[in-house]
Structure formats: C-alpha cells, structure tokens
Amino acid sequence: IDSGPAARAGRAAANVAEAARVAAAGGSIEEVLWQLWQGAGLGTEWGKQARGTGVLADEANRALDGAVALFAAAQRFVERTPELPPAQFIADVLASDLPEDSLAPQSEGDAVLICTPPGVVGQDFDVVVLAGLQEGVWPNLKPRGSLLHPELVEDLAGLGDEPAAAGVNDERAAVRSDELRMFALAASRAHRQLVLSCTSNDDEQPSTFMGFVPDLTPLHRGRPLHLRGLVGSLRRELVERGTPAAASALALLASEEIPGAHPASWYGMRPPSTLEPLVDLDEEGAVVAVSPSQIEKAEKSALAWFVDTVAASPGGLAASIGTIVHAVMETASTKPDADLSVDGLWAEAAERWKQLRFEAPWLAEREKRGAERLLGGLSEYLGDFADDGKTLLQAEGRFTVDFEHVSLHGSVDRVERTADGTTVIVDLKTGSRMPTQSGMAEHPQLAAYQLGMASGAIPTGTGEGDEGTVGGAKLVFVSSGVRGKSYSERTQQPMDEAALEAFRQRLLTVSRAISGASFAGPLQLDFNDPLARWEYRIHLVPAVSA
C-alpha cells in the first residue's frame, strides 16, 4: 500500500520479525533490544530533539533516559541469569510494580523525593511540600489496628484479665496524636521553605492542620497555560484594569498572529457597516413586513428579532420535529380518506423522519417516542374534530393585511367551522411552553390572525352567501393534555373593533421598533427564557455593545 502509515507499519513489522529471528537463534535480551533499537531508528531523531528546548526536548530526554535504563536493566539480567531466555526478562519487567533497584550512583541534584512522613526520618531538605491537607485525609481519624492487636499486650500483662475495649473517643484521640506527630515530623524537615497546600470548595474543606499557619492567604491564580485561555485572561485584565503589561503581551501575541489577540477581531470593535435604518419610514411607500409569529419576540427584544432575522434563528431537532408534525396535520387535513390513527399519522411522518440525523441510536429512539406522543395528541384532536361534526374551511392558508406602512403576512394552520356555524382559527403548537389562559387576550399571534379574519383575508364561512360567525382563535398543544385528553387548548375570545384598533396601534409600535438602525434588548434576562440565548446576551455586555 503506497501510504505513509502503511510504510511505517511495514518497517515496524520487519523490525519485529528480525528481532524474533535473533531471539530464536539464541541471542540474549541485550541483542534483541539492540536489534529493535537500531531497526526503529529513533536514536538520531530523539537525539536531535533532545538538543533543543521546550516540551518536545523534554519528552525526547525522558525517552532517551528510559531507553538507557531499559538497556541497563537488560545488562544486569544477562549478567545475573545468562541461562534464561529473553522472554523471561520481558515477563519480569511487565510484572514489576516498582522500578528496578540499582546500585549505580545516581545524581540527586534535580530530583524530587516523594514519600510518606516516615520516609524523611534523619533527612532534611531545602523545600518541603505537604500536599493534600484535606479534612478526612490528613488527619485521617478513622481508627486503625492490626489483626492480632499488639497494642493490647501491655493491658493484658497488667490486668491479667481480658481488657475492656477502649472508647471510640480514646481511639480517635490516639489516632489524632499519631497524625499530628507525622505532620510535625514532615514539617520539621524543611530547611528553607515549607509549603502547605489544600483545596477549599463545596465538596472539600482544608485540614485542621492548616490552622497552624499564622497568616493564611489564598494562592494567587496564575495565568492559563494555553494560548486561548491566556488571550482571554489578558483581554479581561486590559478591559477591567487597563494594565499596560496586558496590552504589551497582547500586542506581542497579535504580532505572532495568535487568534483573538488583535483588537480588530474583538466583538464590538469593528465600525458599523451602515447607520441607515432597515426601513426609512419617512419615505413615501415605505413598508415594514411583520410576521405574526415574530410579534411577541420583537416586543420583548427588538435585538433578538434582529439577530434571528439577520443570522436566522437556530432550528435544532425540536424545530425539525415540529415541522414534521405540522406537515402531517396538513396532509391529514386535506386528504379525504386520511387515516387519523397514530399509526396512520406515523406512516405519513416516516418518510420525513428518515431525513433527520441523530448522534446516537438511543437519542433517535427517545425522540421517536416524543414524536409519537405528539402525533397521539394530534390524532385525538383530529378525531374529536370529526366526531363533533366540524368543517375545515382552510388549511395552511396564507394571508396579508396592509395598513399604513405595516404589511402583516403569514399563514394559518387551520380555519375550522363548528356545527353551529362559528368560525375558529387554530394554530398548532408542538412545544411545551403554554401561556396562561388569563394572558390569552393579549396573545399577539392569535390577535394577528383575528385581524386577518376581520380584514377579510381569512375566510369566516364558505363564501356562498354564508359568512358564518367569528368565534375567535385558539392554540392547540399536542405535547400534553388535560381532563383526560392528549392535547390542551388555549382560547382567545373574538376581538371587537376597539380591540382590533388597539392591536393595529400595537403593530405600528412593533414596526417602528424593527425598522430602525439600532435595536434595544432587555437589560435583565431570565436565563430560562428563550430570549436569554448566548446570541442575544453577547450584545448586552457593556464592553461589547457600548
């Protein structure tokens, strides 16, 4: 195979085969290892890297030290047991839990001794670090003992009878004394500096031994050791304190083209592409397009409306499933012989469902169960619609209402007529956030539909001399039900002329908010609100938006 990885794998296989041949011919472990070392050709590469500086050089030095130690161990193995095969050396090394002891003199100039407190008896050091001083770890007050309890021998010799068991408090006091002696022993080994370390958070508390420190101050948090974090830390320091050192460091990083270091790439630093409004309302014939589904968002935050209009709001899996349910309802509403059972509706959704992509099979199964629950609510609603003798006047019908500079246009899921001749607008919802019934009178999306009906853009009857009676509008939630049903309804009563005029003024206010050159956002956001998404919040940070 003509590829780099395949060629390297071939060379490695040939090297191992040659080492096996050396072992089969009676070669020692030293000869086998030497064949592997020479065949790998790592000596030259590691040697070149070790002469440099940085992380790569350190890794190369450690690798060379390991290779030297391995050959030294192989040499000792051959000198001590020349009759044993090379495989025995490999088995011994793999079975060893500790590095092989060596009688050769070793330099301790750059070494760090890691041990328990008894391991430093008779020694002293320039610096001693006592790490992990956590409550429950050091001191560990759990009583300890041995199988035969030799500590009771003195009591037995003195009393002649079986001694009474020591109290728990006495045992804990003895353990505390032992732990304190170990702490004092370890701390006394420091010649120049003693470092105590601990962690304090919701899960861990410092040891009581930390109370021996007279002036305990938290360790200053250092800068991040990766470029992305370092750039962020320097930018925060520059914005909050204006430190010249942070500015100089950022300038140096920017000269090396580190992402995010140059101020030209920061949020809010580029000049506006234009200061012109989206729609100049002073111009004759100006028109502001308003969508019924976007009115509430524009009223809460014109900023959110603008971001979603320019960048497009994220669809996501939930939105895709909602689109499928809407499409199934449209098909079931327009097909005379449609199967309204859950299985029948799922058969309509199955082909569209294949177009969705899931990260894992369990996620696909979970979402499928959720979609079947939505279709169950839709199936029951359509079944009740047929049983009640209602008539469908329109499905997915589009409408437009124009007044002053506002052009209200959208589509209605269903226009239904009850058996008594009342016409009701229906909007299907697949989400779980349901408004309260008390707030339905102000619901802007349904009010927009009612304005469309009052303007004649949405039919109120068959049109053949039968105009019908306006019965308002309602939301149908198929994700959850009440009163034994699989769906829920929120209704909006018919709007009179005064209410319709008030809503027109409301639309004029919205049109002015979304037609300008700047867009306001709420200063306080509930993080459970959909308007608290990061795409909106980033523009509310003073250092960004100001």
Side-chain angles (χ1 to χ4, degrees):
I1 299 175
D2 188 14
S3 68
R8 289 193 294 272
R11 289 195 296 271
N15 190 23
V16 171
E18 181 63 22
R21 188 195 62 77
V22 172
S28 66
I29 183 63
E30 285 186 285
E31 294 170 328
V32 172
L33 290 177
W34 184 252
Q35 169 58 42
L36 290 172
W37 174 257
Q38 288 290 90
L42 293 174
T44 303
E45 181 180 354
W46 284 353
K48 186 185 300 181
Q49 293 174 354
R51 287 191 290 272
T53 58
V55 176
L56 193 62
D58 294 341
E59 290 289 343
N61 275 295
R62 281 191 288 269
L64 289 172
D65 289 342
V68 171
L70 179 63
F71 276 106
Q75 180 183 6
R76 289 191 294 272
F77 177 82
V78 172
E79 291 175 350
R80 295 170 184 172
T81 54
E83 72 281 0
L84 293 180
Q88 184 61 45
F89 170 77
I90 298 175
D92 292 347
V93 171
L94 294 179
S96 178
D97 292 332
L98 297 174
E100 187 183 55
D101 190 16
S102 174
L103 298 177
Q106 299 179 3
S107 172
E108 296 184 357
D110 297 327
V112 176
L113 175 63
I114 302 176
C115 64
T116 59
V120 296
V121 173
Q123 303 184 70
D124 61 2
F125 307 89
D126 285 341
V127 180
V128 171
V129 178
L130 304 185
L133 290 175
Q134 305 297 141
E135 190 64 33
V137 178
W138 196 3
N140 179 6
L141 301 183
K142 182 179 179 180
R144 275 96 72 184
S146 60
L147 178 64
L148 300 178
H149 297 284
E151 67 276 5
L152 299 180
V153 172
E154 183 178 354
D155 294 335
L156 287 170
L159 297 177
D161 299 319
E162 183 178 353
V168 175
N169 291 336
D170 294 339
E171 292 183 8
R172 289 184 179 276
V175 173
R176 187 189 301 274
S177 297
D178 289 340
E179 294 281 279
L180 181 58
R181 280 193 289 269
M182 293 297 99
F183 176 79
L185 169 64
S188 65
R189 301 300 93 188
H191 179 70
R192 179 173 58 85
Q193 184 180 19
L194 174 65
V195 179
L196 309 181
S197 70
C198 66
T199 301
S200 178
N201 53 36
D202 294 339
D203 301 324
E204 297 179 287
Q205 299 299 322
S207 165
T208 54
F209 290 163
M210 295 296 293
F212 293 118
V213 180
D215 298 319
L216 186 61
T217 57
L219 183 65
H220 175 67
R221 185 185 298 273
R223 297 193 185 280
L225 299 181
H226 50 92
L227 285 177
R228 184 183 181 90
L230 177 61
V231 170
S233 174
L234 292 171
R235 283 172 55 170
R236 177 185 294 274
E237 182 177 332
L238 180 62
V239 171
E240 291 181 349
R241 299 194 295 273
T243 309
S248 299
L250 285 171
L252 177 60
L253 293 173
S255 67
E256 298 294 332
E257 299 182 354
I258 302 301
H262 199 287
S265 64
W266 299 359
Y267 281 111
M269 297 302 293
R270 293 183 178 179
S273 57
T274 179
L275 297 178
E276 297 296 325
L278 292 183
V279 179
D280 189 354
L281 298 181
D282 294 331
E283 290 184 359
E284 185 177 355
V287 176
V288 180
V290 179
S291 171
S293 61
Q294 296 295 315
I295 296 174
E296 184 177 13
K297 180 181 292 184
E299 288 181 327
K300 286 185 176 181
S301 172
L303 169 66
W305 173 89
F306 177 77
V307 171
D308 283 351
T309 301
V310 173
S313 58
L317 188 59
S320 300
I321 295 175
T323 301
I324 292 176
V325 175
H326 275 81
V328 170
M329 184 184 69
E330 181 182 2
T331 303
S333 301
T334 55
K335 186 184 296 185
D337 57 345
D339 184 358
L340 300 182
S341 66
V342 178
D343 292 338
L345 296 180
W346 178 253
E348 293 289 344
E351 194 62 31
R352 298 181 178 89
W353 189 264
K354 295 177 182 178
Q355 300 175 6
L356 300 181
R357 295 293 178 263
F358 300 93
E359 296 180 356
W362 67 265
L363 182 60
E365 184 62 29
R366 188 191 70 175
E367 295 300 334
K368 182 180 178 182
R369 290 197 299 267
E372 290 175 340
R373 186 177 68 253
L374 298 178
L375 294 177
L378 177 60
S379 172
E380 186 168 0
Y381 176 80
L382 294 177
D384 290 346
F385 170 81
D387 293 342
D388 294 340
K390 297 179 181 179
T391 305
L392 182 65
L393 299 180
Q394 191 181 64
E396 294 296 329
R398 298 196 63 81
F399 73 96
T400 301
V401 176
D402 296 326
F403 66 96
E404 297 192 26
H405 57 263
V406 175
S407 178
L408 177 68
H409 57 86
S411 62
V412 181
D413 290 338
R414 293 168 65 88
V415 181
E416 300 176 351
R417 185 180 183 184
T418 63
D420 61 2
T422 302
T423 302
V424 179
I425 300 172
V426 178
D427 189 63
L428 179 71
K429 297 294 185 184
T430 57
S432 58
R433 295 173 63 89
M434 290 189 291
T436 61
Q437 184 59 50
S438 60
M440 287 302 298
E442 301 296 325
H443 195 278
Q445 187 172 1
L446 295 187
Y449 296 152
Q450 292 215 50
L451 179 61
M453 180 176 287
S455 303
I458 299 176
T460 58
T462 60
E464 300 174 355
D466 179 14
E467 299 300 332
T469 302
V470 176
K474 66 180 180 181
L475 301 175
V476 177
F477 289 86
V478 293
S479 59
S480 59
V482 293
R483 301 185 182 91
K485 297 291 185 180
S486 300
Y487 61 91
S488 304
E489 295 182 348
R490 293 290 187 270
T491 59
Q492 185 180 73
Q493 296 302 314
M495 300 173 65
D496 56 20
E497 185 55 37
L500 291 173
E501 180 58 29
F503 183 68
R504 291 189 186 94
Q505 297 302 318
R506 188 174 170 184
L507 288 179
L508 289 172
T509 302
V510 169
S511 67
R512 287 189 288 268
I514 65 176
S515 63
S518 61
F519 303 90
L523 297 179
Q524 298 295 332
L525 281 176
D526 179 6
F527 279 76
N528 293 322
D529 193 292
L531 296 180
R533 295 205 331 255
W534 177 87
E535 294 93 329
Y536 309 143
R537 295 203 310 271
I538 187 63
H539 295 282
L540 301 178
V541 179
V544 174
S545 59

